[in-house]
Amino acid sequence: MMVEAITTCTFETTIRVYELLGAEVFLYADIAETSITARVDPRTTARPGDKVKFAIDVEKLHVFDKDTEKIITH
């Protein structure tokens, strides 16, 4: 889904780490003081230091407690 298709939850951040994992890429960044990981298409041109715009489809959001690993919402 394109970023432009989601207007309710978008943000910009700077990529800290690019990790190629074969058929996908993980991009690591921060929102405020919270670390995030985004699984993206391996054809992305985003690299560490790049400022990128993300959109979150909240209908597909999964949130876990980092200590208990229990699902908060999905």
Side-chain angles (χ1 to χ4, degrees):
M1 182 176 289
M2 299 295 293
V3 170
E4 294 79 15
I6 301 172
T7 59
T8 57
C9 188
T10 62
F11 60 93
E12 287 189 353
T13 188
T14 302
I15 302 302
R16 285 187 294 104
V17 177
Y18 168 97
E19 182 178 19
L20 177 61
L21 299 170
E24 60 193 14
V25 166
F26 282 4
L27 298 176
Y28 299 88
D30 298 311
I31 304 173
E33 294 183 22
T34 302
S35 296
I36 64 162
T37 304
R39 182 177 63 182
V40 300
D41 188 296
R43 295 174 291 185
T44 184
T45 58
R47 295 295 185 269
D50 290 350
K51 189 170 190 173
V52 297
K53 183 175 184 179
F54 284 101
I56 297 174
D57 184 346
V58 294
E59 297 290 324
K60 297 179 182 178
L61 184 66
H62 299 276
V63 180
F64 299 87
D65 182 294
K66 73 176 185 175
D67 297 322
T68 66
E69 297 183 3
K70 291 186 178 183
I71 297 172
I72 295 171
T73 186
H74 62 78

